[in-house]
Amino acid sequence: MPLQATSYTHPMDAERIRAFLLKLPHVVETMQWGANLVFWTGDKAIGGKMFALVNLDGDGRAVISYSAGAERYAELLEIDGIFPAPYMARIYWVAAERWSVFRNPEWEQQLRSAYDLTLAKLPPKTRATLALPKAKQKQLIAERRKLLAARSTTSPN
């Protein structure tokens, strides 16, 4: 009797989410606010905006927070395990207390929606920069970071 293939998928976790998000165009990750992976649509040096935050602390708070948008915010809060994201609820972010709130394809859909929503809200100048060839983007990002670093080291007397 031939063996049948099973369609087992591993449950979602921080590494799987990270791998998925980094495949999206123009996504940049940073480590901020302790052990939090922050995912940006476009580099923040050129006006990119964050759309998801994965909590790696293991402190019992949310495992992930993300932009839900005004239209879906209330609907998502009705799901067991989803609650208003601390500090970010006013801009319609939600948080999940565990990975099992959604199945893997649903997580991908949720986070793709967060990405698309954030990308659509980027300023025109940032969107224009993201449309440039990769080499030109890298050059502009490097120049902008250098300018920001210089500004932060000079303090008014």
Side-chain angles (χ1 to χ4, degrees):
M1 183 169 174
L3 292 173
Q4 293 183 349
T6 59
S7 61
Y8 176 77
T9 58
H10 296 285
M12 194 55 73
D13 61 19
E15 277 304 312
R16 285 180 181 76
I17 285 291
R18 180 177 181 265
F20 170 74
L21 293 176
L22 291 175
K23 289 179 185 173
L24 297 174
H26 314 297
V27 170
V28 177
E29 72 175 341
T30 60
M31 182 71 80
Q32 292 183 233
W33 308 303
N36 291 290
L37 280 178
V38 181
F39 294 90
W40 302 77
T41 303
D43 193 288
K44 67 181 181 176
I46 57 164
K49 299 200 179 292
M50 62 182 183
F51 68 95
L53 181 148
V54 176
N55 181 358
L56 302 175
D57 282 332
D59 54 12
R61 295 183 298 190
V63 293
I64 189 169
S65 302
Y66 61 96
S67 177
E71 297 79 27
R72 298 220 40 238
Y73 184 75
E75 172 190 337
L76 288 169
L77 292 179
E78 294 178 13
I79 298 170
D80 184 40
I82 300 286
F83 58 94
Y87 310 107
M88 305 286 271
R90 65 181 176 78
I91 56 171
Y92 305 107
W93 275 51
V94 295
E97 63 186 30
R98 62 189 183 281
W99 291 112
S100 62
V101 168
F102 296 115
R103 292 176 300 202
N104 293 6
E106 293 167 322
W107 270 120
E108 291 177 4
Q109 184 274 326
Q110 291 292 318
L111 295 171
R112 180 61 192 228
S113 292
Y115 166 84
D116 289 340
L117 181 68
T118 305
L119 181 65
K121 290 181 178 181
L122 288 177
K125 185 176 181 180
T126 304
R127 283 198 308 266
T129 300
L130 294 177
L132 294 171
K134 284 283 186 200
K136 184 66 175 168
Q137 277 184 48
K138 281 183 154 187
Q139 179 187 1
L140 286 173
I141 290 168
E143 289 170 2
R144 182 71 180 151
R145 284 185 180 163
K146 187 175 180 180
L147 177 65
L148 292 171
R151 283 184 186 169
S152 70
T153 58
T154 58
S155 59
N157 293 350

